[in-house]
Amino acid sequence: MTARKKIKNCRKIGYPAVFGLVLLLSGGISVWADSPAVSGENEKVTLRVANWEEYIDEGGWDEEEAIDLDDRNQTVIFGDHSMVEDFEQWYLDTYGVQVEVEYSTFGNNEDLYNQLTLGNSFDLICPSEYMFMKLIAEQKLQPLSEEFFDEQREENYYVRGVSDYIRNIFDTNTIQGEPWSKYASGYMWGTTGIVYNPEEITKEEASHWSILADPKYKGQVTIKDNVRDSYFAALGILNEEELLQEDFLTADDRLERIAQKMNQTDEETVGKAEDILKQMKENAYSFESDSGKADMVTGKVLANYQWSGDAVYTLDQAEVDDYTLAYAVPEECTNVWFDGWVMLKDGIGDDTAKQQAAEAFINFISRPDNVVRNMYYIGYTSVIAGGDSDIIYAYADWCYGAEEDREDTMEYPVGFFFSGDDGDEEYIITAGSDQADRQLYAQYPPREVLERAVVMQYFDQENNQRINQMWVNVRCFDLASLTWKDWGKIAVIVAAVVLAAVIFLKRDEILRRR
C-alpha cells in the first residue's frame, strides 16, 4: 500500500492545548518480573524498524485536531510527539530499559525485499500479506514468543484487542502448514474495489470487475500496476458468470469456493487472464500505483481500481474540493488485504531483549488510543477492535455518526468487527444515508461484503514464474504474440530504416569529399 496522510474531515472539536496533550488512556506502568530485558543488565536496546512511507503517526498535531470522545468515555486523543518517540518513552517507563528505534521506510514490498536481499538489516518490518507469506515460506522470520499471546498481561494490547474476524484469518491461513499468526500480527486491513464518479457511472456498473474492460469507459478507468491486484481483477471478470450463479451465491462453502477460483494459476487460467488484462490495458487511462487518487479527484478518470484505505483518502480529498465520489466492492468477490508486523530472524536472532522490544512496539501501537492516532493520521483501518476498550468504536462513531438534526440517516451495524455479532446494539452507528457507499462502507465493510472477501494466497516458485511472465507479456511488448504478417511488416520497416541510413551516410560522404 502507499499510505497518505488523511484529509481530516471527521467531526472535530477544538480543545485547549493543556488538555489536548493528555491521553487519558495511559496504559499504566507495570514490569514483567520474568522479562529478559529487566532481569539482568539495563543496556540500551537498538530496534531497527522498517515501515511504509507515512504509515505511522508522526505527531505535531494542531490544537484543533484533538479528538474529543467525551460523549462516550471522556477521552481526548492528541498526537504531540511522534509514535516512535512516544514508544521509546513508554518502554523506558514500563520496563526500565532504554530503547532506541532506528526507523526506516520503504515504497513498496519489492523495494523492501530488495533491501533485505542486498543485506540491509532490520529487526521488525511491516510488509503486505503476500510478502510476509513469502518470508514465512523462505524461513526468514522469527516466531512471536509465547508471552506475546498471553492475554492476562495488561501490556499485550494486540492479542487482547485484535478483532476476532482478523484473528480467525491469521489463525486459519497457513504457509507450509504453519499459521500466519505464529509469525505475523496485523496492522491495517481492507478490501479492494472501485472508486467511481456516481454522476457518470451507476453503482451497478461500478459493482463489477468488468467495468475495467468496458469499452464504454475507454480511457476513463485506471488499474493497478502490480501483477497480484490486476490478476485478481482479471480472474473476477473471467469467473463473473459462475460467481454470480444462484447456486454459487447460496452455497454453504461459497467463501471457500471463491478462494479456490481466485487463486487458480494453471496455464489455461493464466492464459485467459492474460487476454483479459490486455483488454484492460487497451481500455485503461493508465496503470498506476498512486496517481489514481489524484486522477479521480481532478476528474481525469471516472473509475479507479483501489485499496479501501486509499479509497477513503480519495473520497475525503474530493469532499475538500466539493466533489462527490463513491466506493463499490464488486458483487463477484473482493480481495481482503493486510499489512502486518513480522520479525526478521537475521535481525532478532537469539537476542531476547531485542525481541521483547519488537513485540512491545507491536503492542504499543495496538493500544486503543494509539490505534486511533494512527488511523487518523493514515486514513486506513486498524485490525484492532479494542478488546475491553470502547475507544476505537467511539472514534468510528465520532467520524461517521450523523448530526442529531440530520434526517436522511441509516443504522449501520459494525458489530461483526467489534464484537463478532452484527446484531449487537452496542455497535450500530447512526450514519448519513450516503455512507452506504462511501467512507464508512470502505472502512468497515458490511457482512455481505465479507462473505465474498478472500485472501489471495502466496504462489510457489513455478506458479509465481507463470503469472510473472504473463505480466511481462501484458506490460511489455509480447514478441510471442506476433504473427508472420506482423514480422513481415517489421522486416519491411527495419529494411526501410537501414536503407535510409545507408543513403544518408553515402550522401554525407559525398558532401565531405567536395
Side-chain angles (χ1 to χ4, degrees), residues 77-350:
I77 296 174
F78 187 84
D80 187 19
H81 303 101
S82 74
M83 190 68 66
V84 170
E85 292 173 321
D86 283 344
F87 165 71
E88 290 174 335
Q89 185 60 53
W90 174 83
Y91 195 80
L92 179 61
D93 293 342
T94 304
Y95 302 116
V97 176
Q98 184 178 358
V99 61
E100 179 182 0
V101 176
E102 295 181 356
Y103 190 84
S104 304
T105 61
F106 54 87
N108 57 56
N109 287 292
E110 287 68 34
D111 286 346
L112 172 63
Y113 190 80
N114 289 338
Q115 289 184 51
L116 300 179
T117 302
L118 293 173
N120 284 13
S121 184
F122 302 109
D123 304 311
L124 183 66
I125 59 175
C126 186
S128 298
E129 80 287 338
Y130 86 88
M131 184 54 69
F132 69 61
M133 284 190 277
K134 177 180 176 67
L135 294 171
I136 293 172
E138 294 176 352
Q139 300 182 344
K140 293 183 177 179
L141 299 184
Q142 179 82 0
L144 292 159
S145 69
E146 291 183 8
E147 289 78 10
F148 181 80
F149 297 101
D150 184 354
E151 296 191 33
Q152 300 305 310
R153 290 187 169 177
E154 183 181 353
E155 299 84 5
N156 283 358
Y157 295 104
Y158 177 82
V159 72
R160 292 172 56 220
V162 65
S163 167
D164 285 341
Y165 170 72
I166 306 296
R167 188 197 305 264
N168 180 63
I169 292 178
F170 274 65
D171 285 344
T172 58
N173 279 271
T174 61
I175 296 294
Q176 298 175 348
E178 295 188 307
W180 291 1
S181 55
K182 180 177 178 179
Y183 298 94
S185 59
Y187 185 44
M188 301 289 167
W189 77 286
T191 59
T192 54
I194 307 295
V195 175
Y196 66 100
N197 182 337
E199 294 186 1
E200 302 289 341
I201 296 176
T202 67
K203 182 176 181 179
E204 172 61 23
E205 290 176 309
S207 297
H208 297 281
W209 291 114
S210 56
I211 192 174
L212 300 175
D214 189 343
K216 178 181 177 181
Y217 298 110
K218 183 176 176 61
Q220 296 178 301
V221 299
T222 61
I223 53 182
K224 282 295 166 215
D225 194 11
N226 71 73
V227 61
R228 287 176 63 87
D229 285 314
S230 291
Y231 184 63
F232 189 93
L235 291 183
I237 296 173
L238 177 63
N239 295 303
E240 177 178 340
E241 183 177 351
E242 181 177 359
L243 292 171
L244 295 180
Q245 287 179 354
E246 184 64 24
D247 61 341
F248 198 105
L249 293 172
T250 58
D252 292 337
D253 61 345
R254 179 191 178 197
L255 203 58
E256 291 78 9
R257 292 170 66 180
I258 293 175
Q260 189 272 328
K261 282 289 180 185
M262 300 305 292
N263 282 284
Q264 288 182 317
T265 54
D266 59 275
E267 290 187 14
E268 181 180 0
T269 300
V270 171
K272 291 178 179 178
E274 179 178 329
D275 292 338
I276 292 172
L277 282 166
K278 287 177 178 177
Q279 294 174 25
M280 290 165 61
K281 178 183 177 181
E282 289 298 315
N283 202 58
Y285 173 78
S286 69
F287 282 89
E288 60 84 30
S289 294
D290 195 40
S291 60
K293 300 190 291 293
D295 291 338
M296 283 299 305
V297 173
T298 58
K300 288 182 180 179
V301 296
L302 300 179
N304 169 222
Y305 178 15
Q306 197 55 270
W307 304 295
S308 54
D310 277 359
V312 172
Y313 174 90
T314 306
L315 270 59
D316 285 349
Q317 180 65 68
E319 283 187 11
V320 172
D321 296 339
D322 198 26
Y323 189 48
T324 300
L325 297 175
Y327 179 69
V329 176
E331 293 179 8
E332 299 82 32
C333 59
T334 182
N335 175 29
V336 59
W337 57 263
F338 299 91
D339 295 321
W341 294 100
V342 293
M343 298 180 294
L344 289 163
K345 189 180 296 183
D346 287 347
I348 297 292
D350 295 326

Side-chain angles (χ1 to χ4, degrees), residues 143-145 148 343 354-364:
L144 292 159
S145 69
F148 181 80
M343 298 180 294
K354 180 168 288 191
Q355 177 157 349
Q356 181 188 306
E359 293 176 351
F361 185 89
I362 297 169
N363 279 317
F364 182 73

Side-chain angles (χ1 to χ4, degrees), residues 11-38:
R11 292 183 285 126
K12 296 186 285 288
I13 303 174
Y15 213 76
V18 64
F19 294 108
L21 295 176
V22 178
L23 295 178
L24 299 181
L25 181 71
S26 65
I29 298 176
S30 61
V31 177
W32 296 354
D34 57 347
S35 166
V38 298

